[in-house]
Amino acid sequence: DAGVIQSPRHEVTEMGQEVTLRCKPISGHNSLFWYRQTMMRGLELLIYFNNNVPIDDSGMPEDRFSAKMPNASFSTLKIQPSEPRDSAVYFCASGRGSTGELFFGEGSRLTVL
Amino acid sequence: AQSVTQLGSHVSVSEGALVLLRCNYSSSVPPYLFWYVQYPNQGLQLLLKYTTGATLVKGINGFEAEFKKSETSFHLTKPSAHMSDAAEYFCAVSPISGGGADGLTFGKGTHLIIQP
């Protein structure tokens, strides 16, 4: 079975540009999560969806960040405009029901120059 | 509210020695507990999890962890380290939820170094 698929794996962009990260969760999972990983702050939960509905976006750093989940098989995380401090690895994870277990994608490494 | 504390950002052990990675949690409700492993340039993989029942749980690659409610701990152990165990290890907690997953709260991670 295919796992969580993220694209792009690597993105290098210049400050001020728009960045869109994409995620395809595991089929049948009803929860989707976006995490950010940096050396300084570790793994931070940005936002999560249950049944395509955003439940908690309190971890989103600021208005420059937005996330959507138009259907059960696709989600995006957008940063506009991007800044150097947004450089990080962004992980998407999906889960099912109340088990709590999450399955992670391989991440999107973002570098903002 | 939940939180996870992993003692030691780096742990170094010799190949063949016991591995012990410490994790303490706080949770206002009974928790689910997890250990994940992250190899370089990869996502996180589940090593093992505690939900209910037996407090000693076994995972992949010979790892196990014991849930001790009185100590609010969930330490990860492996009797004999292998070079391939070198990675970043994360402890995580999630509240028991009757609905969809509410997300995991992760510790800062422990980098495990294996000395030949």
Side-chain angles (χ1 to χ4, degrees):
Chain A
D1 290 340
V4 175
I5 300 173
Q6 292 187 244
S7 65
R9 290 294 313 278
H10 301 275
E11 175 91 5
V12 180
T13 190
E14 294 188 346
M15 183 173 63
Q17 296 298 306
E18 178 179 294
V19 173
T20 298
L21 307 178
R22 298 173 176 81
C23 175
K24 177 178 170 56
I26 293 172
S27 177
H29 284 186
N30 64 340
S31 298
L32 183 140
F33 302 80
W34 284 100
Y35 283 88
R36 179 172 67 176
Q37 185 179 37
T38 61
M39 289 291 291
M40 291 296 294
R41 302 170 73 94
L43 274 163
E44 303 173 278
L45 176 62
L46 300 178
I47 184 172
Y48 74 94
F49 299 81
N50 279 345
N51 298 314
N52 312 338
V53 176
I55 302 301
D56 184 356
D57 66 354
S58 60
M60 296 286 261
E62 47 198 273
D63 292 345
R64 298 184 297 107
F65 286 69
S66 62
K68 294 182 179 180
M69 192 166 186
N71 57 61
S73 59
F74 184 66
S75 177
T76 59
L77 177 68
K78 185 176 293 187
I79 309 172
Q80 166 64 18
S82 58
E83 297 183 1
R85 59 192 169 120
D86 302 330
S87 298
V89 181
Y90 291 82
F91 287 102
C92 176
S94 68
R96 178 174 52 206
S98 59
T99 67
E101 179 179 351
L102 296 186
F103 296 80
F104 283 77
E106 295 199 326
S108 294
R109 181 177 294 275
L110 173 64
T111 302
V112 183
L113 303 174
Chain B
Q2 312 139 87
S3 65
V4 176
T5 302
Q6 291 184 240
L7 293 176
S9 59
H10 291 78
V11 170
S12 180
V13 302
S14 298
E15 190 174 18
L18 171 72
V19 175
L20 170 61
L21 304 183
R22 300 178 187 273
C23 171
N24 289 88
Y25 70 91
S26 72
S27 178
S28 56
V29 297
Y32 288 165
L33 295 160
F34 305 81
W35 276 98
Y36 280 82
V37 61
Q38 184 181 29
Y39 298 102
N41 300 314
Q42 294 188 25
L44 279 71
Q45 303 172 35
L46 182 68
L47 266 181
L48 49 80
K49 64 181 179 182
Y50 167 79
T51 53
T52 58
T55 56
L56 181 64
V57 294
K58 296 184 184 299
I60 62 172
N61 302 337
F63 284 92
E64 61 183 37
E66 186 171 11
F67 170 57
K68 292 187 176 180
K69 184 178 179 180
S70 61
E71 299 177 7
T72 60
S73 69
F74 191 58
H75 302 330
L76 181 71
T77 61
K78 181 174 180 178
S80 177
H82 192 272
M83 294 299 291
S84 61
D85 294 327
E88 192 83 13
Y89 291 79
F90 294 90
C91 183
V93 62
S94 172
I96 294 175
S97 169
D102 291 327
L104 299 177
T105 299
F106 285 90
K108 295 288 190 186
T110 297
H111 187 63
L112 179 61
I113 301 162
I114 310 297
Q115 305 279 4

